[in-house]
Structures are given as C-alpha cells and as structure tokens.
Amino acid sequence: MTPRLPLLALLACCLQSLPVHAAAPVVDLGAVREEHVMVPMRDGTRLSAYLYHPPGQGPWPAIFEQRYADIQGAGSRKAAAKFAEGGFVIALVNYRGAGLSEGQWRGYRALAWGEQRDGYDMCEWLATRPWCSGKIGTYGGSQAGYAQNFLAVTQPPHLVAQYMTDTGLSLYQEGYRIGGVTRPERFKSMGKVARVPEHNDTLLAEWFAHPSYDAYWRDEDCSLHFPKMNVPCFTIGSWYDFMCQGSVMSFIGRQHNGGRESRGQQQLIIGPWLHGGYPKSNKIGELVYPTNAFFDVYPHMTAWFNHHLKGQANGVERDPTVKYYVMGATGETNAPGNVWRTAKDWPPRVTPRSYFLGEQGRLSTASPVAAAGATSFVSDPFHPMTIPGTAFPGAKDARPFESQAEVRTFTTEPLTEPVEWTGLVKVELWASSTARDTDFIVRVSDVYPDGRSMLLMDYPRRARYRDGFESEKLLRPGEPARLAFDVGWTSIVFNKGHRIRVTVASTGYPLYEPNPQTGGPQTIAFPADAQVATNSIHHSRVLASRIIAPTPSAPTPAKR
C-alpha cells in the first residue's frame, strides 16, 4: 500500500492539474452550490462526484455516499442538496467504471482492501479540501451500505462516523447470490450501469469461475474484518427486507468485535419497512401500520452527524442502543403489537419453538408421530412457478404464489391466543429429490381471518450447499437430506384468530432464477439439458421438517 502522507500529497498534486466543471443545474437547489468533479484515485483513475456546498464560508464536515446507480437524477441531487443545508458538504460518488467514473467496472472490488481502495482515497481527498473541517462521514443504503462496510475495513484516518441503511456484508451470501442460488439474469442487467457494458460480462465470468465460497469471495466479505472497523455507526434494518440479516449482523459484529471506537458505539433500529427508501414509511406493501412506524431518516441522520462531526451535545449518543418495532395486525382494533421496544443489545433472549410441517398442509407444535409421510411437488425449470419482479414482495398477499400448482403450504389452526415471534426464524427441512441438485424456497406468512396471507419473509437454499458454501455436495436421488438454514429476522405478534403459514416451493421466477437440476457446473447461460424433478418434504417421526420460531424469554415492556 502507498504510504499515507505521500498518497495525500499525490492526490492534492493531481487535483491541481484537473479541471473542475460546475454541473449544469437541472433542478432548483436553492442556496446550495453544486459542482461536478473528477477525483483521482491512487492509480490515476478518476471517479465522478457531485458535490453540494451549503451557503457560507465553512469549513464544513463532508459526508459522502458511494453507489453504482445514477447520481445525476433530479431526485438524488435534490435530496443531497437538502441534506447539505444542515451544514455539510455532501458528495455523491459513482463506483469505478460506473456512470462517468473511469476505470474497469468490477462491482465492489475496487472499494475493498486490495491494491485499489477507492473509498479510502475518496475519503482522504475530501478531508484535504480547503473547505473541509477534516471530519468525514458516510451514508447510504443497500449498495451504499456495502460500500460503507468496505470503507470501514480500510481505516481512512479522517473517517469519523457512518450511517447505514439496509446494508450487507458478504456479496456471496447477500448479493450476487442468495442462499447459494445464482442470479445470472439479474446481474446481466448490471451492464446498464457499467460505463463499458462488456466489463460486466467479464465480471459475470469471474463469478461463475468461483462457484463455491473461496478466497475470491473472502476478498468481498466484510464479516471477516470487524476488528478493523473502528467508527460509530447508526444502522437501519427493515423487517420486510432479505438484507435485514446484513443490517443485523453488521451491528452485532461492529458492536462486539469492532475496534476501540466501534465496540459499544453502535446503534440499531429495525422497523416494519421494505428495502431502501427515505423516509421509512408506515405504509408498507399492502399494509398500513400506525403512524408510529414512520421514521424520518434525514432529520435523525443530521442529528447523528451534528454530534459526531461537529461535536454538538444533542444527546443522540444517549439514545437506546437498539430500538425495534414489534409488528401486529393492521386494521384490527386493539390488536397487540405495533409498538416500539428498546434493548441494550441484539438479539434478545429467546426460547426456540418448533412448528412441524405435516400431512394435508398442517402446521403444528405437536411432533409428528407417523412412521412415514411426505408432501411432493414438481420442480420444472422450463415452467417455473412465478414470483414477479426482482425485489422481495413483503407485506403483500402471498396467495397468488401459494395457489400455484407446484407450491405447498402448511398452516396452523386459528390461534386461540396471540403468539409473538421476535428474533431469527430458522428452518430444518428433510427433503429428497429425483434430481441431484435443486432449490427450496421457504416463506412465512401471517394469515388474516379474511384469508389474506401477508408475507413476512422468505429465503432460498440450493441443495448442493446444504452443508456450507465452501464446497458442493450433490443429492443422491430419492435419498432424504437435511437442509437447515436461516429464513429471516422478525418481530411480530400474530393476533388471536390469525394463522401462521409456512410455504415451500422449488421455483419462483423471476425473483429466484430456476436451478437446472442437472448437478452440473453452474453456468451463466441456462443449459438446454435442464431436468424436471419431483421434490418431497418429509414429515415423519424421524424426518420431521420444522420451522423454528424465536419465542421471547422475557419481553421488554412495550413503548408506543
């Protein structure tokens, strides 16, 4: 790595020879001044950045967001300008090879701890501007959340605090793949964000040359480097988001295993929200939660950075370490739940409670007693069941999927008393297939008395990775195998009269791209020799498939 002081001097020298172009305003940004700059990295590659300067002379702290998505849209620029009014210089930065940024598009790899450290270099470039106080923060969610975790590992000396929304840690588990399920069609479209679209084809080929979790993927796994993360961070997680696991684990890792300025300095809030978006609304999917579920991100983020970057004694650091929303039924008078709780840490203490899948679609806490039993369905990659779109359809009625021919549901009787789940939901399937490889998608829903099956979470698992992602182990056709994996985090009170439903299928296109089921190498192009399979979920005394629910041991008193 280039020594720190020579690097900063190099960046300052390079800047003097680069033209700085004011971006032509396309929206009214009020008194905020916008400029477009091309910022040099340590190898001379320049990244595109839009800067938003508040009125006045400064100096100001700087806060930046890194993303591959468009930074030239009117909405993004207005939001950044509004944020800058709080007395910060806000910078929107495109990844290397995306948008107007130079260099080869390689996804997140140039942000990490290798020879290219674009996040580090951007942080230090901002810190040395004459208008900057030298204190730097970062913000953003999803792709910009990943970027912040990468940045924290590289330890730029002027990084003071971060603010992450719906973030991730490992691109193998939570990004390019989910539960081992490959997503070539989803990521072929990333050529649209690459400055040179062919670079994305090269990147896809790299991924598929590494089917298992190996050294290539460890280079993009921030969870291996928590001790190097050394700044306070406020993290927002969303119950209706498959990346909630990334948000939760990022908080846990930083809070307990981070550096001296990280341990004990984290805060986490989790609410009944979907992935992304500011503010976090109380209107989610097809549900409308009470107004207490609304969370206005920008005012809170401004207070967070006013404290950490300006030293304001506004008390934000004394807020509860964890604040989480316990969801309840919506539209039902006096339904339990729909309240906030606070905690000193996460996860809460829970008692695992098993709900067993059974004959005729029953879901029950009673252990199965039959010597044999199974529920079967067809998995046809040429005619997959459908889950529209590419985003998790949480807080929506899942019956359109559940009613499809090769989808199976397991449902409790109507509850005689409210039941709370708070924590990590897990599943243990005993499954067999006529194929050597297949996928299993597990979903959990809250079934209302009127029949609506409101989706809480789902997660897939590719069978060849049932014993871990480091190696592949194909199925023996017809032989039951155990697949145990996490389905997701939640906090919900299922109301009296509601039912709890677990849904199992093996296809759900296009959200989950079909497994060819040949057991052969996973490929970018869908193979012509893909196979149809019959899959079975076993529910006998010995092979007892179950969902494992987190039942609170000692619930914290609710706060509205």
Side-chain angles (χ1 to χ4, degrees), residues 268 302 308 395 418 532:
L268 172 69
T302 298
H308 287 286
V532 178

Side-chain angles (χ1 to χ4, degrees), residues 301-378:
M301 186 160 55
T302 298
W304 176 262
F305 285 124
N306 276 338
H307 171 72
H308 287 286
L309 302 185
K310 299 179 183 178
Q312 288 188 9
N314 56 21
V316 69
E317 79 283 4
R318 296 192 298 273
D319 286 346
T321 302
V322 178
K323 186 177 180 180
Y324 64 99
Y325 195 85
V326 184
M327 299 179 290
T330 63
E332 297 181 6
T333 304
N334 298 322
N338 295 327
V339 294
W340 287 101
R341 289 190 190 143
T342 60
K344 295 181 180 180
D345 203 356
W346 192 266
R349 295 190 304 274
V350 297
T351 300
R353 188 181 191 188
S354 294
Y355 289 75
F356 295 94
L357 284 59
E359 297 284 355
Q360 299 178 338
R362 289 192 296 268
L363 184 68
S364 171
T365 55
S367 302
V369 296
T375 297
S376 300
F377 52 89
V378 173

Side-chain angles (χ1 to χ4, degrees), residues 145-220:
Y146 271 113
Q148 292 186 74
N149 273 323
F150 280 119
L151 176 66
V153 175
T154 66
Q155 297 185 318
H158 289 91
L159 180 65
V160 176
Q162 297 183 301
Y163 198 105
M164 294 192 298
T165 307
D166 301 332
T167 190
L169 291 164
S170 169
L171 288 157
Y172 184 91
Q173 280 93 355
E174 305 160 36
Y176 305 139
R177 302 179 183 188
I178 303 176
V181 174
T182 56
R183 310 166 75 192
E185 294 302 321
R186 163 71 175 85
F187 286 101
K188 285 178 184 177
S189 65
M190 294 300 290
K192 296 176 182 177
V193 305
R195 185 175 55 86
V196 179
E198 290 76 16
H199 289 172
N200 195 59
D201 299 334
T202 302
L203 185 59
L204 277 172
E206 278 188 25
W207 298 344
F208 278 82
H210 298 272
S212 300
Y213 179 81
D214 58 10
Y216 177 89
W217 294 109
R218 286 192 289 274
D219 285 342
E220 291 192 342

